[in-house]
Amino acid sequence: MAMEGTRERLGILSELWAFMKVRKKWWLGPIVIMLALLGLLVVFTANSAVAPFIYTLF
């Protein structure tokens, strides 16, 4: 069951890559990467002692 979720995520990433390649929307790449990094930052620091310091950045 966990593999189905992984396949769906990879499918979304491959569709996004195909869209960017065909439509020449290369400017979307850095935006997607930064959004993913910010999301990971929020997820990983949500229950830690560093969270109050991270939230003051925003």
Side-chain angles (χ1 to χ4, degrees):
M1 291 187 189
M3 292 298 288
E4 293 173 4
T6 305
R7 276 192 220 135
E8 288 177 10
R9 285 189 205 122
L10 290 177
I12 290 170
L13 291 176
S14 64
E15 285 184 29
L16 178 64
W17 176 253
F19 172 79
M20 287 173 32
K21 194 166 70 171
V22 169
R23 304 277 188 207
K24 305 289 191 246
K25 303 285 185 183
W26 299 115
W27 54 270
L28 284 174
I31 295 172
V32 171
I33 290 170
M34 289 306 297
L35 285 174
L37 289 174
L38 283 173
L40 286 173
L41 179 70
V42 169
V43 167
F44 286 130
T45 60
N47 293 326
S48 71
V50 183
F53 302 108
I54 297 295
Y55 290 127
T56 58
L57 295 175
F58 302 105

